[in-house]
Amino acid sequence: MATVVVACPHCGQMVESNYEGNAHFDGVRQRLKSEYRLARETCPVCSHPYDLRRA
């Protein structure tokens, strides 16, 4: 499992996110196709979903 600190693409809040596996992290996007997505998270501040992108 890996932990990254990212900025929510909706509100800019810094959020700590976790994902399983050993894929390389390559940023945050609002919507991604499943083949590029490491994990889908929800911002605790604005409640919008965002995706962690695989490299």
Side-chain angles (χ1 to χ4, degrees):
M1 178 188 286
T3 301
V4 294
V5 177
V6 299
C8 172
H10 299 279
C11 69
Q13 175 68 33
M14 297 303 286
V15 180
E16 193 172 284
S17 296
N18 299 313
Y19 67 90
E20 298 285 333
N22 58 0
H24 295 292
F25 172 74
D26 189 36
V28 177
R29 300 290 186 271
Q30 290 183 20
R31 283 182 284 253
L32 283 173
K33 293 181 179 179
S34 60
E35 62 262 25
Y36 302 113
R37 183 186 314 137
L38 285 173
R40 176 161 282 166
E41 301 286 334
T42 302
C43 178
V45 175
C46 69
S47 300
H48 282 94
Y50 62 90
D51 296 328
L52 301 179
R53 181 185 167 124
R54 114 179 32 235

